[in-house]
Amino acid sequence: GVIEAIPGNHWHHNARIKQWTFVQVPESTSAIAMLKAGQADIGDVDFSLIPPEIEKGPLKFLWAMPGGYVTNSILYSGNLFSEKHPITGADLEPWKSPAYAIDRPWIGCPWGDKCPYTDTDNPPGMSDMEQARLVRWAIEYAIDRDSIVKKLFGGLALPIYSEYMGPEYPGWDANRTTSKAKVDAILKEQGLDKIPEYNVASAYDGTAWPWKVPYDLKKAEELLDKAGYPKKADGTRFEIVFNANRCEIGEVCYAVNDVIAAMLAPIGIKATIPREDYGAVISPRMRQRIQFDLVIKNGDVHSNVWPIDWPYPPVDSALSRPGWGVGFESDLLATMHLKIRAEKDFNTRVKLHLDTVDYMMYWQLYNGIVQIQKGLIYNPKKVASWEAPHAHYSNWWRPSYAKLVGQ
């Protein structure tokens, strides 16, 4: 494809580049060879190949949107907690989704007799909702984020602990914690404390759950034991499936899937990783709310550049029905989205935003993994500079702001 600058008085009439040519090169090593040979100036290649190429030279990494990262998390689709559409009031009957056809350890069913399966594996006095929450927290503790940042991304990344919060996010506080009492207070304030989703006893009353979650296999195993999933003779507790896809961080997403699966093996979770096309297979299932296997990608937050008073996206709730959603739904997330959008006071919006993070950290509907720098690899003999404004859902943007050597 060839893009040419529009002559004359246009929005970008000062465009430095008159013509920009895109060449599709499916194989990353071929793209890197083209960059080294001067046949290409800038390339979008498998991120896992970038750090070793930088070390070898002469190619360099271009942080196309300095300060901006693209996120990567585990999505717990299938946790459909909302019985009614937040705006129309229409009955959603989520228990009819295939997500609830059987009892899945990471999916909680809050409706008692409406659950289509007989729940027989909960410890005495523990609800299915609490059991699934502990499983999701166990996986959260089992992720060695620092190792992923170092070994897969060569330091060109940061850990995150939820799609909603991590380093470089506005409002990030490494010492902040959430708790059942805090979440209960938030729900009561929003008038949601009587909904079955939230009438859930905790197996860890009084526990402070951290925003900055350490790598702790001992804690992960403790939570799985508490949830009623002891190790069997073969060392496993249960099996999960990651629907692997080329996600927003690129081809390296497949490597992230493999690494996470390896990290879960020591705590007794056996993971299989079928590759499925996202657009043709996974996305339609999420749109129909019939996705129940775990997906590693991002939702709609995408990056750390959301303002601290911003509403989290409607796709994390039933607000987006009948359109695309991440595949989990919560009345609290729908309520907070609508309230923050309508709220005129900045400080109130900030409080509601952070309350939403506290709720999501407690329930762990996202396990954050990593956020990588938005950028490309380039030949320094060809590119002199790059100045681009931030753009949501873009890893790089506006080549007209680039300056090529010799131009």
Side-chain angles (χ1 to χ4, degrees):
V2 178
I3 297 175
E4 294 183 348
I6 296 175
N9 188 17
H10 190 59
W11 299 314
H12 305 306
H13 61 274
N14 61 338
R16 296 171 177 167
I17 295 177
K18 304 305 179 186
Q19 187 181 82
W20 187 268
T21 302
F22 289 86
V23 181
Q24 185 171 343
V25 183
E27 216 283 309
S28 288
T29 54
S30 298
I32 289 171
M34 291 177 66
L35 288 163
K36 289 180 176 179
Q39 295 174 317
D41 302 327
I42 302 174
D44 185 5
V45 304
D46 179 359
F47 206 99
S48 64
L49 299 177
I50 291 177
E53 287 299 330
I54 294 173
E55 289 182 11
K56 290 187 294 186
L59 304 181
K60 294 185 178 181
F61 178 72
L62 174 68
W63 197 356
M65 295 186 180
Y69 295 82
V70 56
T71 62
N72 191 234
S73 306
I74 298 174
L75 279 61
Y76 287 99
S77 301
N79 283 281
L80 304 169
F81 303 155
S82 297
E83 294 190 42
K84 295 183 180 295
H85 193 284
I87 294 177
T88 67
D91 290 331
L92 301 178
E93 299 182 313
W95 47 86
K96 293 184 178 180
S97 167
Y100 289 101
I102 62 173
D103 188 4
R104 307 179 199 278
W106 57 92
I107 296 178
C109 184
W111 311 291
D113 293 342
K114 291 181 181 177
C115 295
Y117 55 82
T118 301
D119 198 351
T120 59
D121 63 2
N122 291 355
M126 183 179 294
S127 69
D128 197 48
M129 288 287 283
E130 177 67 0
Q131 182 187 47
R133 186 183 76 88
L134 296 184
V135 167
R136 297 191 296 268
W137 260 102
I139 295 174
E140 174 85 353
Y141 273 110
I143 301 172
D144 186 352
R145 295 167 177 83
D146 291 338
S147 175
I148 292 173
V149 166
K150 181 180 179 180
K151 294 179 180 179
L152 278 186
F153 299 101
L156 299 174
L158 291 171
I160 58 169
Y161 306 94
S162 168
E163 180 85 359
Y164 283 11
M165 189 53 71
E168 301 300 320
Y169 279 61
W172 166 245
D173 182 351
N175 297 313
R176 182 161 171 155
T177 61
T178 187
S179 66
K180 184 180 187 303
K182 183 180 286 190
V183 170
D184 284 349
I186 293 168
L187 296 167
K188 187 172 184 179
E189 184 178 347
Q190 301 306 325
L192 298 174
D193 50 316
K194 304 301 181 184
I195 294 178
E197 168 192 349
Y198 308 116
N199 248 340
V200 177
S202 173
Y204 285 87
D205 273 341
T207 296
W209 300 89
W211 270 22
K212 184 179 180 180
V213 184
Y215 172 54
D216 191 339
L217 290 182
K218 184 177 179 181
K219 183 67 174 179
E221 297 220 60
E222 174 200 319
L223 291 170
L224 291 174
D225 289 338
K226 187 83 168 180
Y229 293 107
K231 277 187 175 178
K232 293 176 278 192
D234 65 356
T236 65
R237 301 174 189 268
F238 55 81
E239 296 187 17
I240 61 172
V241 174
F242 287 110
N243 292 143
N245 67 100
R246 187 189 185 279
C247 66
E248 291 81 357
I249 62 172
E251 295 290 327
V252 71
C253 198
Y254 294 118
V256 173
N257 273 267
D258 292 339
V259 168
I260 295 296
M263 289 177 176
L264 297 184
I267 64 171
I269 299 178
K270 181 181 179 181
T272 55
I273 315 173
R275 289 198 179 194
E276 296 186 321
D277 183 77
Y278 177 75
V281 180
I282 301 173
S283 181
R285 289 200 301 247
M286 296 174 80
R287 187 177 299 113
Q288 298 172 65
R289 308 312 196 260
I290 62 173
Q291 173 72 23
F292 48 78
D293 290 328
L294 284 64
V295 180
I296 292 182
K297 63 182 301 294
N298 63 50
D300 208 37
V301 177
H302 186 71
S303 77
N304 60 302
V305 299
W306 286 55
I308 192 172
D309 65 327
W310 212 249
Y312 284 107
V315 299
D316 288 5
S317 69
L319 284 168
S320 62
R321 288 195 185 218
W324 184 86
V326 295
F328 61 72
E329 296 178 342
S330 161
D331 291 332
L332 188 278
L333 294 179
T335 296
M336 290 304 216
H337 177 85
L338 295 172
K339 282 204 168 187
I340 294 174
R341 281 176 56 179
E343 177 57 54
K344 294 182 179 181
D345 180 71
F346 172 81
N347 291 325
T348 302
R349 292 196 304 272
V350 171
K351 177 186 180 300
L352 294 173
H353 179 106
L354 296 178
D355 282 351
T356 307
V357 178
D358 280 330
Y359 167 85
M360 284 295 282
M361 289 302 299
Y362 181 79
W363 281 105
Q364 281 297 318
L365 295 174
Y366 284 116
N367 289 152
I369 303 173
V370 69
Q371 53 183 347
I372 71 171
Q373 295 180 11
K374 295 186 173 188
L376 311 99
I377 196 166
Y378 74 103
N379 188 330
K381 295 181 180 179
K382 304 285 284 185
V383 180
S385 67
W386 180 287
E387 304 164 17
H390 280 286
H392 186 57
Y393 261 109
S394 290
N395 293 346
W396 60 283
W397 196 40
R398 293 189 181 177
S400 60
Y401 282 82
K403 183 175 182 180
L404 304 185
V405 173
Q407 183 182 27

